[in-house]
Amino acid sequence: MKPNPNTPSSSIVTRNIADITGDNGNVYEAIAVISKRANQLSVKLKEELNDRLAEFASTVDNLEEVFENREQIEVSKQYERMPKPTSLAIEEFLQGKIAYTTPEPEEVPIPRELF
C-alpha cells in the first residue's frame, strides 16, 4: 500500500467539522464511515507488515541474531513513519474516494395488543 503524498504525516491535524460532515450534515455517520475504513486500512497494513517481517523469521533463538537484524529494523521503522490509518481514511473521505450507502430504517410493526 502506497501512502498518499497529500496525507499529512503528523498525527495531530486540526479538522473543520463542516468538511467532515459532508453533504448530509450527519457527523456521526461520517465518523462511522471513516472509522470502518480506518479499520480496513489498519488490517491491510498489518498483514503487509507481517508478510514482510515473516521473511526474517528464524527458528533459532540466538539473541545476537535477533538484535543484529538491521533489515528487519528498517522495515519496522518504515511502517512506523507511514501515516496512520485514521489519517488516510479521513483524507479518502474528504476526497470522496469512499463509497457508502445508508440503509433505510426498517419499520417495526406495532403489536395489536398495545391498542
Side-chain angles (χ1 to χ4, degrees), residues 29-48:
E29 182 176 285
I31 297 299
V33 169
I34 291 170
S35 67
K36 287 183 181 188
R37 179 61 180 150
N39 286 337
Q40 291 172 347
L41 292 171
S42 177
V43 167
K44 188 174 182 179
L45 281 173
K46 186 173 182 177
E47 287 173 357
E48 287 179 11

Side-chain angles (χ1 to χ4, degrees), residues 8-75:
S9 59
S10 98
S11 355
I12 301 174
V13 177
T14 304
R15 303 281 182 183
N16 185 350
I17 198 75
D19 294 339
I20 293 176
T21 56
D23 298 334
N24 66 1
N26 189 339
V27 69
Y28 301 106
E29 182 176 285
I31 297 299
V33 169
I34 291 170
S35 67
K36 287 183 181 188
R37 179 61 180 150
N39 286 337
Q40 291 172 347
L41 292 171
S42 177
V43 167
K44 188 174 182 179
L45 281 173
K46 186 173 182 177
E47 287 173 357
E48 287 179 11
L49 177 61
N50 287 337
D51 289 344
R52 289 192 62 190
L53 292 178
E55 299 171 8
F56 304 108
S58 68
T59 57
V60 181
D61 289 337
N62 188 352
L63 288 178
E64 293 173 7
E65 290 180 14
V66 171
F67 289 115
E68 292 180 3
N69 197 339
R70 296 280 178 219
E71 292 174 359
Q72 182 177 2
I73 293 169
E74 288 302 316
V75 168

Side-chain angles (χ1 to χ4, degrees), residues 1-4 7-11 41 44-46 48-49 52 74-88:
M1 167 183 276
K2 300 289 182 198
N4 184 344
T7 303
S9 59
S10 98
S11 355
L41 292 171
K44 188 174 182 179
L45 281 173
K46 186 173 182 177
E48 287 179 11
L49 177 61
R52 289 192 62 190
E74 288 302 316
V75 168
S76 296
K77 285 183 179 180
Q78 176 188 359
Y79 275 86
E80 287 176 7
R81 287 188 296 263
M82 291 176 70
K84 305 296 180 222
T86 306
S87 297
L88 293 171

